[in-house]
Amino acid sequence: MSYSVTSSLARALNVLSESMGQGRVVAGATDLFLKSLSPELVDVSSVPELLGINRDHGSLSIGAGVTHAEAAASPLIRLEAMALAEACRQVGSPQIRNIGTIGGNVVNAAPAADAAVALVALGARAVLIDLGKRQHHAAVEELYADYNLSTVDSSSEILLRFLLDLPARDEGSAFLRFAPRQALSLPLVNAAARVRLKGDAIESVRAVIAPVNPAPTRLYETEKMLLGSWPEDDTWRKVEYTAASEVEVRGSLLRCSAGYRQHLVGVLARRVLKKAVERAVKSRMGGDGS
Ligand SMILES: Cc1cc2nc3c(=O)[nH]c(=O)nc-3n(C[C@H](O)[C@H](O)[C@H](O)COP(=O)(O)OP(=O)(O)OC[C@H]3O[C@@H](n4cnc5c(N)ncnc54)[C@H](O)[C@@H]3O)c2cc1C
């Protein structure tokens, strides 16, 4: 087996090209090293094109090689994409957060990947480059092929960064997860939301729940119910009921019974949407994203 570390994107693409499908991109290795090893590994964790968090032409650009710890602590992500900061803050343990990357989280394609759930709710687009140095964009939810299977072929493509529309003044986002412990614990359910207000109504909403399908799952019925309204107590009760009814969950020995998870889907959907609305109201009044 060979392991190349490079800070040059061109060199990383060359190594993949020369290894004729036997090579593979590696970042923090917190997922990959628990699975299979390829004969030729290319470590991209110090390639500049995959690093950095900045505003770029009306978008927030977040490098695929940004670690969970960096994202959780980033003032820019906390201001513009709080749901992602909250998700990254709850991944694994400090050791995992210090080396595990957002790009690796998405390409590993676990149904409950915390950062991926937040990125889907935020409407993030991934920017990828192939061996011919052609770049293309895809919505994060489109990168899921099946359970634990990504459409990204890490032997011939590199995920460079994520782009998120910068929020308007009336927007808020949030992420929540429910797990038996606060560290190193599988989430029973995780949820994220992004909400934009206009006047006294919700103008746009994205609500996402996981793990119920291979990819983080939009709660379209719940979103439809909220659009154009101003939620009161009664609405929040309906949100809980609608969210729990619109997805089918399975029970598992690793997590818990289907009935308990169905209940959690409703509760987390209500709480995360309510939090996002509260943040949108606060942001409208000139507050930050917290
Ligand atoms: C003890 C432990 C606890 C964990 N807890 C959590 C948790 O609470 N929540 C959670 O979501 N995850 C958790 N994880 C999973 C893991 O840490 C994360 O998914 C992490 O973000 C993976 O990133 P990485 O950089 O280590 O990826 P790697 O292991 O390096 O790579 C993962 C996959 O992505 C590919 N890849 C990586 N970067 C790129 C790129 N730029 N372009 C193309 N392909 C790429 C690799 O080829 C590989 O297929 C845990 C893991 C461990 C070991």
Side-chain angles (χ1 to χ4, degrees):
M1 188 188 97
S2 95
Y3 192 99
S4 327
V5 184
T6 178
S7 55
S8 155
L9 179 61
R11 169 87 187 121
L13 291 168
N14 269 347
V15 175
L16 290 178
S17 186
E18 283 162 13
S19 58
M20 319 270 281
Q22 298 298 301
R24 186 142 188 192
V25 173
V26 60
T30 59
D31 277 320
L32 190 63
F33 281 10
L34 300 179
K35 297 182 172 172
S36 58
L37 286 182
S38 300
E40 186 100 34
L41 289 169
V42 191
D43 185 328
V44 293
S45 52
S46 48
V47 171
E49 286 86 345
L50 274 71
L51 303 176
I53 302 159
N54 40 61
R55 290 193 183 96
D56 183 16
H57 298 100
S59 296
L60 179 63
S61 169
I62 305 169
V66 166
T67 64
H68 295 291
E70 285 167 336
S74 157
L76 204 46
I77 295 184
R78 293 178 63 80
L79 182 69
E80 312 285 22
M82 190 55 165
L84 182 62
E86 287 178 317
C88 292
R89 195 178 61 210
Q90 296 178 64
V91 166
S93 64
Q95 294 88 340
I96 296 293
R97 293 195 288 275
N98 282 339
I99 53 166
T101 63
I102 300 180
N105 194 249
V106 168
V107 180
N108 186 56
D114 290 302
V117 169
L119 286 169
V120 172
L122 290 163
R125 298 167 313 282
V127 182
L128 297 119
I129 190 165
D130 66 17
L131 298 184
K133 299 196 176 148
R134 286 173 297 263
Q135 292 195 15
H136 72 277
H137 292 212
V140 169
E141 56 269 43
E142 289 168 9
L143 302 183
Y144 280 78
D146 206 339
Y147 284 99
N148 305 304
L149 186 65
S150 176
T151 60
V152 179
D153 176 358
S154 316
S155 67
S156 62
E157 275 179 305
I158 300 180
L159 174 53
L160 295 175
R161 59 185 176 276
F162 299 99
L163 297 175
L164 280 75
D165 290 339
L166 286 171
R169 234 185 91 238
D170 291 14
E171 280 196 54
S173 73
F175 170 92
L176 287 174
R177 92 202 296 256
F178 190 88
R181 295 185 307 277
Q182 294 204 339
L184 292 173
S185 191
L186 278 177
L188 303 187
V189 174
N190 48 13
R194 177 176 188 162
V195 169
R196 186 171 68 238
L197 308 176
K198 187 168 186 191
D200 284 340
I202 293 180
E203 186 188 41
S204 132
V205 52
R206 291 173 69 95
V208 172
I209 207 93
V212 295
N213 286 309
T217 299
R218 290 275 296 275
L219 294 170
Y220 287 112
E221 290 301 317
T222 309
E223 292 175 2
K224 217 187 304 168
M225 213 190 77
L226 282 167
L227 272 179
S229 74
W230 183 254
E232 308 285 356
D233 286 353
D234 188 41
T235 325
W236 290 123
R237 276 191 287 277
K238 283 189 197 143
V239 162
E240 188 168 327
Y241 173 78
T242 309
S245 319
E246 74 171 291
V247 292
E248 204 175 309
V249 303
R250 282 176 298 160
S252 80
L253 287 176
L254 268 180
R255 289 195 156 90
C256 59
S257 70
Y260 186 46
R261 289 190 65 226
Q262 197 93 40
H263 170 72
L264 286 175
V265 166
V267 172
L268 259 75
R270 170 175 55 78
R271 287 186 186 167
V272 84
L273 279 157
K274 207 168 176 188
K275 187 92 200 153
V277 170
E278 283 164 8
R279 285 186 175 150
V281 171
K282 199 171 162 200
S283 153
R284 169 191 276 181
M285 295 188 306
D288 59 16
S290 56

